Amino acid sequence: MVKPLAFKGDKKTKKRKLAPTGDDPQVERKPRHSAPDAREDDSWVTADTPGDINGPVVIVLPSTPPSCLACDAGGKVFVSELENMVEHDPTTAEPHDTRQVWIVSRTAGTDDLGLKGHHGRYLSCDNTGVFSAGTEAMSPEETFTFIASPDTQGAFNVKTQGEKFIVVQPSGKDIRGDAESISFNTTVRIRMQARFKPKLKASKELKAKGKISRKELEDAVGRKLDDDEVRKLKKARFEGDYHEALLLIKVKGKHDKYS
């Protein structure tokens, strides 16, 4: 389930929570500082491979000024100028309007992707290369193949089911799906939310998995630990054999006690 999009400048609403009292045994006290959850990361990053492309995305077009593919509530597809960037660098672009965001749907058993607009309808390209976004269900016309650019790392060429490529017109104000071959004007970048990027998501989950305090480790063992034991347990937690390492240290502590 995709959570609502957040844009730069939006005010975050804070939910008020009642402070737990010591008299209520059913209320579990939680530590004030917790490790960040990779599933909640709504920052925007660049897709590096076709397999990365998932969740909400912005299709950044090769135009000056930088722009992206967008659609209005009536299904009209247009080129929308980007505003949220660092020093006008399109590789740092983020959406400032929900019309610029597309939700990726993968087609089972193929590399084809569908792109659903903010209004719940899919991007489509007819056999003449004209785009629209008024279809509620995916058919072949509503699927596209993202091919890694042979010349530019982290960029893609998007092929329609008519075996043509999405291309920005020389004016930079119009887009079609009728290019016969790959060129600079057919090369796009995909910006996506970090929490949907497989490698980044896995990396953050591994880091979060390895985070545990000395006190938590000592509570688990039932005694004070030396620095070497703490290092071993943290390493074991990261590598997935935490419980075995914990048992060995517990057994060692018992032997030391009676020796």
Side-chain angles (χ1 to χ4, degrees), residues 144-155:
F144 302 86
T145 305
F146 286 71
I147 303 168
S149 170
D151 304 316
T152 308
Q153 186 176 2

Side-chain angles (χ1 to χ4, degrees), residues 19-27 29:
T21 64
D23 299 330
D24 189 351
Q26 293 184 347
V27 176
R29 291 180 179 272

Side-chain angles (χ1 to χ4, degrees), residues 27-69:
V27 176
E28 181 183 353
R29 291 180 179 272
K30 295 183 180 180
R32 184 173 294 178
H33 301 289
S34 57
D37 191 340
R39 294 170 297 180
E40 297 300 320
D41 190 350
D42 57 4
S43 60
W44 291 80
V45 296
T46 300
D48 297 315
T49 68
D52 287 343
I53 303 171
N54 199 8
V57 301
V58 177
I59 301 173
V60 182
L61 304 173
S63 62
T64 303
S67 62
C68 66
L69 188 69

